[in-house]
Amino acid sequence: MTNKKDLSERDICTKYITPALKQAGWDLQKQVREEVSFTDGRIYVKGNLSVRGKRKRADYILYYKPNIPVAIIEAKDNSQSVQSGIQQGLDYATILDIPSVFSSNGDAFYEHDRTCSNGTIEKEIPLNQFPSPEELWQRYKKYKGIESAEAEEISTQDYFFDGSGRSPRYYQQIAVNRSVEAISKGRQRILLTMATGTGKTYTAFQIIYRLWKAGVKKRVLFLADRNALIDQTKRGDFRHFKDKMTVIKHKKIDKSYEIYLALYQGLTNYDEDKDAYREFSRDFFDLIVIDECHRGSASEDSAWREILDYFCSATHIGLTATPKETETVSSTEYFGDPIYTYSLKQGIQDGFLAPYKVVRVGLNVDLEGWRPEVGKNDKNGQQVEDRIYNRKDFDKNLVIDERTQTVANKITDYLKKTNHFDKTIVFCIDIEHAQRMRAALAVANSDLMAQNPKYVMQITGDNEEGKRELDNFINPEETWPVIAVTSKLMTTGVDAQTCKLIVLDSNIGSMTEFKQIIGRGTRINEEFGKYFFTILDFRNVTDLFADPTFDGDPVRVKVVGEEEEFETPEDELGDDETVTDDDGEEITFPPSIDEPEIIDGGDIISEPKPKLYVNGVNVSVLNERIQYMDTAGKLITGSLKDYTRQKVREQYQSLNDFLTKWNSADKKQAIIDELIEQGIVYENLKEAIGKEMDIFDMICYTAFDKPPLTRSERVNQVKKRDVFTAYGDQAKKVLEALLDKYADEGIENIEDIKILKINPFDQFGTPTEIVRLFGGKRQYMQALKQLEQSLYQAA
């Protein structure tokens, strides 16, 4: 009879845990999922390559209904205690918003009840007394505050399934469940904060679908502020509403539909008597979902808010990646605190969003300032005021031709080193700056412009040719355009899945705008090899990464008394951005009256001065610094070498500890993977140090100051010692080829037996024939181990 202590964790699941669940009344097909990976594994960048870390995986998740998880079970083998998995289970349950946690080693279950505020929060229960689905559902209802029969009916409404196998990611599931449960309990204002690229529209679709099918929200309005967003929504997730859905066009209202998609501008004429939305009765809609709600609905003075105030009896759900909190505008004051937040940082850690590195380029005129010589005139003959000009002036008040060309050359140099055809967005100060930058980039890339003049395109609100190319730029299947030069138009609402380079040459002070710009690069597209992106920063804009508000809950700043007045809130639309209705016609906003304050009969403020244009200025790169993200999602501000030293020493207290682990490891790749999980990336470190070292020498040198050897030096030492005399001629040639491969590529590649399929090994026969030269696979692996021991013998 098999000893229980000898069984694997999987055996414990099969023989003890699963039968206990079945006995307790759980439907193994519909309510029980085993080995559930709920993250994709963080992406680590290796130079211009990337690798995924480990996924978070629960042994069991139990569902009352699909996508309504009520319990988690962590299994351990019988050599461990019944409680061994409880802390891991609690960690996962906190992430997944699950109230009941169990651990088991096959002897019993150890239970943690997160709904218990006093009394027995943890206890051990026999295998045959595992709670039934109904018992854990009652606990879930307590955890969620679901009390009435009506709230329970709404909360258990099915998700939409289209038969494709697509299901919500865990954070989308939480956002949908929390929203539906809150509405079932009567909440009227809901805010969901989800980072760009995390599927806000799909989340909104599932919320709407469940409430619509439950019959509690029969007529729904989805509001956006861009035609592109409406089109994407209609063609994408909302297509399943079919003939129940319509897009409001030409401000023509048809009241026979149930799901309506509309632009804010498409419902408003800026005339109270003619506003299209007033053709609906105030109580026509039961639910309104406001996409990118930070752009208008948060502001009391916004014309968009008039729509929400008109339909005030409906439930309002705001979706945004960036809740707006300023002295005059507050998303949370209108909607309340976010019911759920899924941040950029969390998305990157989970592997659903692309990580980034920052390359900061310091130009001499930016860092030191520029002062004109006495009597200096610009190119148009205007005198240049004698003062020191700095980054805040350049391209806004004063244009230096050489600075523009230097930035364009630096962008071009970066793309030459990576890939000429990596989709790139360049953010400029304004339209005029974007025009000059496009021209400078065209000159710097004249060979590619000759191949196709759409290699570089200006895509701004005033440029019709450029705007027509926007769809081609964001389409992964289209090669051209490659570089999009813009100012404000592409900060939001642009789903640039394959954008690999974001260039910042604009003075961005708004955290909301900064988050939206960074969001252009965070999408992953594995099919087209997009796993990470780079930010090329010429203006120190990435200092905003250090701001506590960058990736956390927004701080509520606005506290307004009943009688207090504010200045007009900042205009959310950029100066160069044109808003169009459904027919593509420009919408004219009523002019704002902004009279200057007159004190003691003072002068009326004059028009801003035109830009000055100068040339003949020496512009050069003073410094260039690359910053990487650490495991906590923060940019490494010190040197990569110091960071690596710290992380290695956290894991290995001494050089001897590291050598012992390295020499005893069957596969060195396992240690390399552990270091990668700590955020140590060999390719980046190699680039920083600039030497062709083995990863072993790189770590010893960086962390413990041990003098390194190059890979070639290690190979030469092995060849001098002639350690392969016991093998036949053909086997020796295979081992010598492995040494040459190590010298070229490092230890990681030669450990994989698949290497025997490629040149030069294929000259010796098939992998099967090659391992036979050594007497079989086991003997081949022993020979490989001897080779590795010889390489590191000196250590």
Side-chain angles (χ1 to χ4, degrees), residues 342-522:
Y342 189 72
S343 66
L344 170 65
K345 175 182 173 182
Q346 190 62 51
I348 291 173
Q349 287 178 341
D350 288 343
F352 296 126
L353 294 180
Y356 51 86
K357 68 178 180 180
V358 176
V359 180
R360 293 177 63 156
V361 181
L363 303 179
N364 60 336
V365 291
D366 292 354
L367 299 177
E368 298 172 346
W370 175 76
R371 183 177 180 180
E373 60 266 27
V374 177
K376 173 79 172 178
N377 287 343
D378 81 343
K379 294 193 296 183
N380 298 318
Q382 299 181 78
Q383 187 168 356
V384 181
E385 181 186 350
D386 182 15
R387 66 176 178 87
I388 295 176
Y389 294 84
N390 57 36
R391 230 183 322 237
K392 291 183 179 178
D393 296 300
F394 298 141
D395 300 297
K396 183 179 181 182
N397 307 314
L398 179 131
V399 173
I400 298 176
D401 287 348
E402 289 80 5
R403 186 189 181 284
T404 307
Q405 196 61 57
T406 301
V407 171
N409 291 341
K410 199 67 187 171
I411 296 168
T412 304
D413 289 344
Y414 183 86
L415 289 172
K416 281 180 180 177
K417 290 179 181 177
T418 52
N419 185 342
H420 271 308
F421 292 94
D422 281 348
K423 293 288 177 113
T424 299
I425 306 177
V426 183
F427 288 95
C428 298
I429 293 278
D430 54 24
I431 289 177
E432 186 274 339
H433 183 202
Q435 289 172 343
R436 288 185 291 102
M437 184 59 69
R438 190 215 68 82
L441 283 164
V443 170
N445 295 276
S446 55
D447 54 338
L448 292 161
M449 289 294 285
Q451 188 176 340
N452 190 315
K454 292 181 180 179
Y455 179 76
V456 185
M457 292 289 292
Q458 175 190 336
I459 302 180
T460 51
D462 71 320
N463 190 290
E464 291 304 320
E465 294 81 5
K467 283 195 291 185
R468 282 197 294 270
E469 290 297 327
L470 180 56
D471 283 345
N472 288 329
F473 176 79
I474 64 180
N475 183 354
E477 302 279 356
E478 294 290 340
T479 302
W480 320 95
V482 175
I483 303 175
V485 186
T486 189
S487 54
K488 301 284 186 185
L489 184 62
M490 297 176 71
T491 56
T492 180
V494 176
D495 185 8
Q497 298 176 28
T498 54
C499 175
K500 290 188 178 181
L501 180 63
I502 290 176
V503 180
L504 303 175
D505 196 27
S506 177
N507 300 317
I508 299 159
S510 160
M511 180 60 76
T512 299
E513 185 178 359
F514 179 61
K515 286 183 179 181
Q516 292 288 347
I517 286 172
I518 298 308
R520 298 315 102 212
T522 55

Side-chain angles (χ1 to χ4, degrees), residues 507-631:
N507 300 317
I508 299 159
S510 160
M511 180 60 76
T512 299
E513 185 178 359
F514 179 61
K515 286 183 179 181
Q516 292 288 347
I517 286 172
I518 298 308
R520 298 315 102 212
T522 55
R523 296 180 191 274
I524 293 170
N525 189 314
E526 297 190 15
E527 182 183 353
F528 289 88
K530 162 68 185 300
Y531 293 94
F532 64 94
F533 67 105
T534 301
I535 302 165
L536 193 55
D537 181 11
F538 290 91
R539 303 264 179 168
N540 277 9
V541 176
T542 49
D543 284 344
L544 289 170
F545 280 128
D547 191 307
T549 63
F550 171 68
D551 201 10
D553 295 326
V555 178
R556 179 176 290 178
V557 177
K558 182 182 178 186
V559 181
V560 186
E562 203 169 49
E563 302 299 322
E564 292 180 73
E565 292 183 359
F566 283 108
E567 299 174 3
T568 305
E570 63 176 332
D571 184 5
E572 276 294 320
L573 295 172
D575 293 336
D576 65 321
E577 187 167 342
T578 303
V579 177
T580 57
D581 63 15
D582 298 276
D583 298 322
E585 295 180 0
E586 183 175 344
I587 293 173
T588 304
F589 288 80
S592 60
I593 300 173
D594 188 12
E595 297 178 354
E597 183 180 4
I598 300 177
I599 304 173
D600 297 329
D603 296 330
I604 293 179
I605 298 170
S606 61
E607 289 292 317
K609 291 181 180 179
K611 292 182 184 181
L612 299 169
Y613 295 82
V614 300
N615 56 17
V617 178
N618 175 36
V619 178
S620 60
V621 176
L622 274 191
N623 61 52
E624 184 173 327
R625 180 175 169 194
I626 300 176
Q627 295 177 290
Y628 301 95
M629 292 179 70
D630 65 13
T631 50

Side-chain angles (χ1 to χ4, degrees), residues 62-92:
L62 309 184
Y63 298 83
Y64 185 67
K65 294 190 76 174
N67 293 308
I68 303 178
V70 294
I72 192 166
I73 304 172
E74 279 304 304
K76 298 296 176 184
D77 63 51
N78 199 248
S79 66
Q80 303 183 60
S81 74
V82 70
Q83 304 175 17
S84 295
I86 202 68
Q87 286 197 166
Q88 184 179 4
L90 281 168
D91 180 39
Y92 290 173

Side-chain angles (χ1 to χ4, degrees), residues 293-307:
C293 67
H294 65 280
R295 291 178 61 83
S297 56
S299 168
E300 289 180 16
D301 292 344
S302 167
W304 300 345
R305 268 285 291 276
E306 292 178 10
I307 300 172

Side-chain angles (χ1 to χ4, degrees), residues 291-336:
D291 195 23
E292 302 289 357
C293 67
H294 65 280
R295 291 178 61 83
S297 56
S299 168
E300 289 180 16
D301 292 344
S302 167
W304 300 345
R305 268 285 291 276
E306 292 178 10
I307 300 172
L308 302 185
D309 290 341
Y310 182 81
F311 298 115
C312 60
S313 63
T315 300
H316 295 171
I317 300 177
L319 305 174
T320 182
T322 52
K324 192 166 186 64
E325 299 296 327
T326 71
E327 293 182 358
T328 59
V329 177
S330 172
S331 299
T332 55
E333 185 169 283
Y334 181 78
F335 290 102

Side-chain angles (χ1 to χ4, degrees), residues 711-719 739-740 742-743 791:
R711 292 195 297 266
S712 296
E713 286 170 337
R714 288 198 174 277
V715 167
N716 289 335
Q717 286 186 354
V718 174
K719 288 182 176 179
L739 281 175
D740 292 339
Y742 163 83
L791 282 169

